Amino acid sequence: MKKNLIWSWFWIILSLLYFFVPLILTFVFSLQTLKDQFSFISYQRVFEDRGFIRSLIFSTEIGIVTIFLSLALMIPTVYWVRLKAPRIRPVIEFISLLPFVIPAIVLVFGLIRVFSGGLLPLTNTHLGTNFLLVAAYVVIGFPYLYRSIDAGMGAIDVVTLTEAAQSLGANWFTIMFRVIIPNLRAAIFSATFLTLAIVMGEFTVATFLVGLKSFGPYLWQVNQNRAYEGSALVIVSFLITWAFMGLIVLVGRGAGASDAAGPR
Amino acid sequence: MSNNSDVVASGEYHPKPPFRRKLSFAWAGVLPFLIFAFLFLGLPSFTLFIGGFQDSEGHFTLANIYGLFTPSILSAYWVTIRISFATALIGGLFGFFLAYALVLGGVPSWVRSALMTFSGVASNFAGVPLAQAFIFTLGRVGILTVFLRELLNIDLYEQGFSLYSFWGLTITYLYFQLPLMVLVITPALEGLKKEWREAAEILGATPGQYWWHVGIPVLMPSLLGSMILLFGNSFGAYATALSLTGGLINLVTILIGSQIRGDVLHNPNLGYALAFGMVVVMAVTMSAYYLLRRRSERWLRK
């Protein structure tokens, strides 16, 4: 048993070193803008750069629109399937898991091919391109969102709740917003924060559709040209991810975070 | 889709049988979802698929598929597969050891929950920031590289190490592979019942025998399945590789990226075939993962 414990600590400490050394050294790097002393100048420069604020706001907006569209699409669908059409549940589940099979780079390739001409030339306008970006993120978020919402609805008895509400005279709007959605709070919050964590730093889709306007490509650009500010941005970006994931834990369940494929 | 044509046809000639109407009613509620998925998931994939089988004038051809078997493209697939395999195997093993230490290693429970939470964060910390963090650490002028050279007189790059190479990429990918393995293998380890171990011990089994005859066979589907998931996870990685190597390493994703930016293959349709080839590999990978996961769930039922 003693030997067992030593091995456990060995693996844990080894992993902690591997996980934290790059972060700590990146932080140290970001403090070295001035030759002979530690300073936070690189951070000051990052925050003063207008591109930083602009791209951060842009990505946040895209993230928020993504969440609303995803929820508007997924909650009624999962609810409907559970209530009226349990037989087509496997179909919805299958479609929701498909994005795991299609790498982001392939998805954006296909989206550009379909929507840069033809019947729906979305990439011709800024609004259209932004919408395409949102659509791509909604699709990338399908697996997480589906699992989160489906698990949330599984935990409450949707059919009974609906019938109870109906017998009390509630209409569909009331049922949705005052019965179903409040009961899904935990699932919705964890899906929301995970989506935000993924969208905020996403690079692959963003770089081909909107480029430096969004945070991921902006971060990349800064790192190509200005190493110290780049390292400061890396730390900021890690803190953003950390904050959202921390919020998920705070909300109560790590559901949805347990599978593949964020912005690799 | 066939339901719609039924509605049109039946409206003109005969009333629909009642169960038909019920079925289309059932589909109606999921229509927004289906339309969205069709437009932004189905159509893009399908277009690439069709494009892969067309020549520049739109005629059917298998030339692009043959084109995938030329040395430059085969080597891109081969490098991608090797990296994914290496990170799946190494990440899988180390992740398993770490998860084992956390679940069965007898460490305090706060250590376990702290590390599980961290795994959730780290498995989502990928792409450009991750690659840059490793460049600042182990790159040519990274702090660790310089430290080792100046103070310990070990020059990693003289010794043949390079962060911008196969192994550098592998080390970097492990940062999201290892925690992902911890997250997906933990339920399987928790499913190992104490009774099995006790029963084995009462019957006189050594720990080695227990693992060989009970532990490993029970865990095998989960282990394999998780590693396959890890394989798929790094197979589609683009941002990390691009920002680490500046696009110098010949991965399929990098090749597709250059193809989108400016037709480096000089044949758009070959690009579509290349992209669809990735989907085929991923489809095989993920199907294997789900089959194995279903198998492993048999043991996990409480």
Side-chain angles (χ1 to χ4, degrees):
Chain A
M1 217 58 224
K2 222 34 189 171
K3 206 180 106 200
N4 200 345
L5 199 63
I6 292 169
W7 273 112
S8 301
W9 283 112
F10 170 78
W11 286 114
I12 290 170
I13 289 166
L14 196 69
S15 321
L16 286 178
L17 280 177
Y18 173 71
F19 285 131
F20 282 101
V21 165
L23 294 179
I24 293 167
L25 292 187
T26 302
F27 181 61
V28 172
F29 193 96
S30 72
L31 301 178
Q32 290 178 336
T33 318
L34 302 177
K35 272 270 170 326
D36 41 5
Q37 68 186 83
F38 286 136
S39 73
F40 282 93
I41 285 186
S42 57
Y43 290 87
Q44 196 185 341
R45 287 191 188 150
V46 162
F47 292 129
E48 277 169 1
D49 187 357
R50 280 171 61 202
F52 169 74
I53 301 292
R54 212 179 291 157
S55 62
L56 202 59
I57 290 175
F58 179 81
S59 289
T60 313
E61 285 169 354
I62 291 286
I64 290 171
V65 179
T66 302
I67 287 159
F68 276 105
L69 186 57
S70 311
L71 292 174
L73 214 52
M74 203 56 99
I75 293 178
T77 305
V78 176
Y79 175 64
W80 180 272
V81 167
R82 285 207 167 244
L83 199 65
K84 303 265 183 191
R87 271 199 306 173
I88 59 176
R89 188 159 167 228
V91 179
I92 304 297
E93 186 173 11
F94 178 76
I95 294 174
S96 302
L97 291 177
L98 269 186
F100 274 159
V101 176
I102 300 172
I105 186 95
V106 175
L107 181 67
V108 70
F109 195 11
L111 285 173
I112 289 174
R113 173 153 159 83
V114 173
F115 294 103
S116 63
L119 289 173
L120 273 171
L122 288 176
T123 55
N124 286 355
T125 59
H126 284 299
L127 194 67
T129 313
N130 292 351
F131 178 75
L132 202 56
L133 186 63
V134 168
Y137 289 156
V138 171
V139 166
I140 291 172
F142 270 175
Y144 308 103
L145 211 72
Y146 175 78
R147 195 169 322 161
S148 203
I149 303 291
D150 190 59
M153 291 221 191
I156 58 178
D157 190 344
V158 177
V159 179
T160 311
L161 278 178
T162 306
E163 283 167 358
Q166 274 176 330
S167 70
L168 291 170
N171 58 28
W172 286 110
F173 183 85
T174 314
I175 294 176
M176 199 41 123
F177 284 92
R178 299 191 59 186
V179 179
I180 301 297
I181 290 179
N183 271 304
L184 290 176
R185 238 174 334 203
I188 290 174
F189 276 127
S190 77
T192 300
F193 296 134
L194 191 71
T195 309
L196 272 178
I198 290 173
V199 169
M200 290 304 288
E202 205 281 337
F203 176 79
T204 308
V205 180
T207 189
F208 289 108
L209 287 180
V210 296
L212 297 176
K213 262 169 51 180
S214 56
F215 187 61
Y218 168 79
L219 194 154
W220 183 71
Q221 168 79 14
V222 171
N223 271 287
Q224 298 302 98
N225 304 329
R226 293 168 283 168
Y228 293 109
E229 287 152 61
S231 57
L233 263 176
V234 169
I235 296 295
V236 171
S237 147
F238 182 76
L239 290 178
I240 292 175
T241 313
W242 180 271
F244 286 130
M245 300 307 287
L247 283 170
I248 294 178
V249 178
L250 210 69
V251 165
R253 301 173 327 120
S258 62
D259 246 357
R264 300 277 169 256
Chain B
M1 286 290 113
S2 67
N3 291 316
N4 291 342
S5 56
D6 281 348
V7 173
V8 174
S10 59
E12 281 177 52
Y13 295 105
H14 32 248
K16 277 187 302 176
F19 76 93
R20 273 285 168 98
R21 185 174 295 153
K22 224 175 189 169
L23 191 67
S24 56
F25 178 65
W27 282 98
V30 293
L31 217 53
F33 174 79
L34 290 183
I35 291 172
F36 189 90
F38 171 75
L39 276 179
F40 299 106
L41 179 63
L43 203 57
S45 326
F46 193 64
T47 315
L48 292 181
F49 173 67
I50 297 289
F53 287 97
Q54 282 176 336
D55 61 18
S56 54
E57 269 129 48
H59 303 301
F60 174 82
T61 176
L62 287 174
N64 303 312
I65 307 301
Y66 293 133
L68 291 182
F69 293 90
T70 49
S72 66
I73 291 182
L74 270 186
S75 90
Y77 271 105
W78 183 229
V79 172
T80 315
I81 287 172
R82 269 170 48 217
I83 285 207
S84 305
F85 184 77
T87 62
L89 195 68
I90 300 171
L93 281 177
F94 281 68
F96 174 73
F97 291 141
L98 180 58
Y100 183 89
L102 293 176
V103 176
L104 301 168
V107 296
S109 64
W110 66 267
V111 175
R112 177 182 165 182
S113 59
L115 261 155
M116 293 299 287
T117 308
F118 181 77
S119 294
V121 181
S123 66
N124 279 293
F125 184 64
V128 183
L130 173 66
Q132 295 301 333
F134 272 86
I135 291 175
F136 295 127
T137 306
L138 275 171
R140 217 168 265 284
V141 291
I143 295 188
L144 192 61
T145 315
V146 173
F147 175 82
L148 290 175
R149 192 175 54 218
E150 312 265 293
L151 284 148
L152 301 177
N153 220 2
I154 305 170
D155 193 330
L156 290 175
Y157 282 76
E158 287 273 283
Q159 315 254 334
F161 173 82
S162 166
L163 185 63
Y164 318 104
S165 68
F166 182 91
W167 286 109
L169 210 55
T170 305
I171 290 177
T172 311
Y173 277 16
L174 284 178
Y175 202 92
F176 55 75
Q177 295 284 62
L178 205 156
L180 180 63
M181 182 68 181
V182 172
L183 292 176
V184 291
I185 201 71
T186 296
L189 282 168
E190 284 170 339
L192 277 183
K193 291 194 181 64
K194 242 199 207 143
E195 293 88 336
W196 298 340
R197 173 142 219 170
E198 289 165 1
E201 276 166 10
I202 287 167
L203 294 169
T206 62
Q209 281 175 317
Y210 163 74
W211 277 107
W212 183 248
H213 292 291
V214 181
I216 292 179
V218 168
L219 287 178
M220 206 29 120
S222 323
L223 267 174
L224 267 180
S226 309
M227 286 193 193
I228 289 172
L229 181 73
L230 263 55
F231 179 92
N233 195 30
S234 78
F235 191 76
Y238 172 70
T240 315
L242 179 76
S243 102
L244 198 70
T245 67
L248 288 179
I249 195 160
N250 185 27
L251 297 180
V252 184
T253 46
I254 300 271
L255 198 57
I256 294 176
S258 327
Q259 174 71 9
I260 301 176
R261 290 210 190 278
D263 197 14
V264 289
L265 298 170
H266 307 295
N267 175 2
N269 293 89
L270 185 56
Y272 305 142
L274 185 68
F276 203 80
M278 281 202 86
V279 176
V280 171
V281 175
M282 288 298 287
V284 172
T285 308
M286 294 316 266
S287 312
Y289 166 65
Y290 281 102
L291 284 176
L292 283 164
R293 202 178 71 165
R294 206 186 271 170
R295 241 191 100 78
S296 65
E297 271 166 2
R298 281 204 315 223
W299 294 105
L300 296 179
R301 265 178 223 133
K302 296 272 149 65

